[in-house]
Amino acid sequence: MGYVVRYGRMRLLGECKGSPGEDFARGQRVVIRSDRGLELGEVLCPATPRTSQLLEGKEAREILRVAAESDLKQHEDLPSLEKSAFATCRELIAGRRMQMELVDVEILLGRERAIFYYLAEKRVDFRDLVKDLARALRTRIEMRQIGVRDEAKLLADYGDCGKPVCCNTHLTEMPPVSMKMAKLQKTTLDPAKISGRCGRLKCCLRYEYDTYRELEKELPPVGARVGTAKGRGRILAQDVVAQKLVVEYDDGRRIIVGRDDVLDVEPTRGRPPRPPSNVNGDGDSGSSSGDD
């Protein structure tokens, strides 16, 4: 029987095969053999056809045993080894004046591999560095270049919401996030308020975006002329969640109406006019950098 197991500093997920007749409970610590080596993992759930589909492309791994006290003790000793390896690597990087920033070090449970995570703007030739590290640490060395969002996944603790950062808890892949998502959800466009610990747009802006898109399709677009029981006018703004519209009538009145109050919609011509800043609800008419 297979199980979904989380393991590694980057909180990787994989389907691991257990021995026939052996069952594992959710949250149980196990020793697995992954494509990286011997590691300590946590059982999340039994594997199903659905989880196998989601984890497609990831090699099957093996659960060797339930983690014993000796395994847990060995795992507790790794941080001191990683701290020493980090200092050694940083010293070698400084000595060679290499254009890279060391972020973190992960030593596997079996100690047959040490993985060094680093940031770099350009490609780095670290072949000599790997040789020096292998001699100093007497283990296999892997250098892995990461981005700023992965750096937050390794080092960040809590977000502005007061909860542990998503990238270091339940997220296994970083979703694409754009400024368009913030605009649609009528959030503030202040970069300081919608940026995460990594300095990029917060991942949580992605969570409800698809729902907002579906709800937005149910409303006439901003700028469209509509007819209601109170007359004809032009849509100035939308409240996507409440399914309401701000309509400016031909006589200058501005009234909030529901979606069901719209009797007909005239086709829009050209680009709709930008609504006044006092109609947006959040009162924020500023701009911010980001992907559109």
Side-chain angles (χ1 to χ4, degrees), residues 40-110:
L40 189 67
E42 178 185 358
V43 176
L44 298 184
C45 64
T48 64
R50 175 59 175 164
T51 59
S52 298
Q53 181 182 5
L54 293 174
L55 296 174
E56 186 178 2
K58 300 181 183 293
E59 296 182 5
R61 300 163 179 85
E62 180 185 4
I63 299 179
L64 301 179
R65 61 181 181 273
V66 175
E69 288 295 331
S70 57
D71 297 316
L72 298 177
K73 178 62 170 62
Q74 185 177 352
H75 186 261
E76 291 175 357
D77 294 338
L78 292 180
S80 61
L81 297 176
E82 291 168 345
K83 183 177 181 180
S84 176
F86 186 93
T88 299
C89 184
R90 188 164 59 179
E91 182 179 343
L92 292 172
I93 290 174
R96 295 179 179 275
R97 297 184 178 180
M98 302 178 71
Q99 299 301 309
M100 58 188 294
E101 178 185 349
L102 187 62
V103 174
D104 203 2
V105 181
E106 177 183 11
I107 297 179
L108 303 189
L109 182 68

Side-chain angles (χ1 to χ4, degrees), residues 1-290:
M1 181 177 181
Y3 292 86
V4 178
V5 177
R6 181 166 53 206
Y7 63 97
R9 188 66 52 82
M10 297 293 286
R11 302 177 67 81
L12 305 172
L13 292 179
E15 182 177 339
C16 298
K17 303 295 183 181
S19 300
E22 191 172 14
D23 295 328
F24 299 95
R26 174 177 173 83
Q28 196 165 22
R29 307 293 291 278
V30 293
V31 176
I32 69 169
R33 172 71 66 181
S34 73
D35 54 349
R36 307 193 308 173
L38 198 66
E39 304 196 52
L40 189 67
E42 178 185 358
V43 176
L44 298 184
C45 64
T48 64
R50 175 59 175 164
T51 59
S52 298
Q53 181 182 5
L54 293 174
L55 296 174
E56 186 178 2
K58 300 181 183 293
E59 296 182 5
R61 300 163 179 85
E62 180 185 4
I63 299 179
L64 301 179
R65 61 181 181 273
V66 175
E69 288 295 331
S70 57
D71 297 316
L72 298 177
K73 178 62 170 62
Q74 185 177 352
H75 186 261
E76 291 175 357
D77 294 338
L78 292 180
S80 61
L81 297 176
E82 291 168 345
K83 183 177 181 180
S84 176
F86 186 93
T88 299
C89 184
R90 188 164 59 179
E91 182 179 343
L92 292 172
I93 290 174
R96 295 179 179 275
R97 297 184 178 180
M98 302 178 71
Q99 299 301 309
M100 58 188 294
E101 178 185 349
L102 187 62
V103 174
D104 203 2
V105 181
E106 177 183 11
I107 297 179
L108 303 189
L109 182 68
R111 302 187 185 183
E112 69 264 42
R113 186 189 299 245
I115 305 169
F116 293 82
Y117 300 94
Y118 70 94
L119 295 170
E121 295 183 0
K122 300 179 180 179
R123 187 173 180 177
V124 179
D125 184 357
F126 46 71
R127 287 174 293 182
D128 291 336
L129 174 63
V130 168
K131 293 177 182 178
D132 292 341
L133 287 172
R135 282 194 294 267
L137 303 179
R138 297 183 180 278
T139 188
R140 185 175 180 179
I141 304 299
E142 178 180 340
M143 305 296 296
R144 179 162 297 183
Q145 184 174 357
I146 61 175
V148 291
R149 298 182 75 189
D150 290 316
E151 180 187 17
K153 185 173 184 177
L154 287 169
L155 304 181
D157 43 20
Y158 291 89
D160 296 338
C161 59
K163 295 183 178 182
V165 290
C166 298
C167 57
N168 199 19
T169 50
H170 62 276
L171 285 185
T172 57
E173 296 182 2
M174 302 299 187
V177 185
S178 69
M179 186 61 71
K180 184 184 299 183
M181 298 176 182
K183 293 177 180 177
L184 177 60
Q185 298 174 61
K186 293 287 193 278
T187 62
T188 175
L189 300 184
D190 183 351
K193 295 181 179 179
I194 59 175
S195 298
R197 295 291 299 273
C198 59
R200 304 290 178 85
L201 293 174
K202 292 180 178 178
C203 295
C204 54
L205 290 171
R206 184 69 180 82
Y207 298 162
E208 299 178 357
Y209 177 66
D210 292 339
T211 300
Y212 271 81
R213 287 292 304 274
E214 290 301 317
L215 291 174
E216 185 186 34
K217 294 177 182 178
E218 302 294 327
L219 297 175
V222 172
R225 287 189 57 81
V226 297
T228 72
K230 298 179 180 180
R232 305 199 67 80
R234 186 179 301 277
I235 297 176
L236 294 183
Q238 302 170 325
D239 187 334
V240 176
V241 176
Q243 291 286 280
K244 294 192 179 292
L245 302 162
V246 177
V247 178
E248 183 178 47
Y249 289 93
D250 294 340
D251 58 6
R253 293 174 298 154
R254 292 183 180 180
I255 300 177
I256 297 177
V257 302
R259 181 191 65 182
D260 296 335
D261 296 328
V262 176
L263 302 178
D264 63 84
V265 182
E266 296 180 13
T268 56
R269 297 180 179 178
R271 185 176 180 180
R274 182 174 179 175
S277 59
N278 63 341
V279 181
N280 281 337
D282 55 14
D284 193 338
S285 58
S287 60
S288 173
S289 61

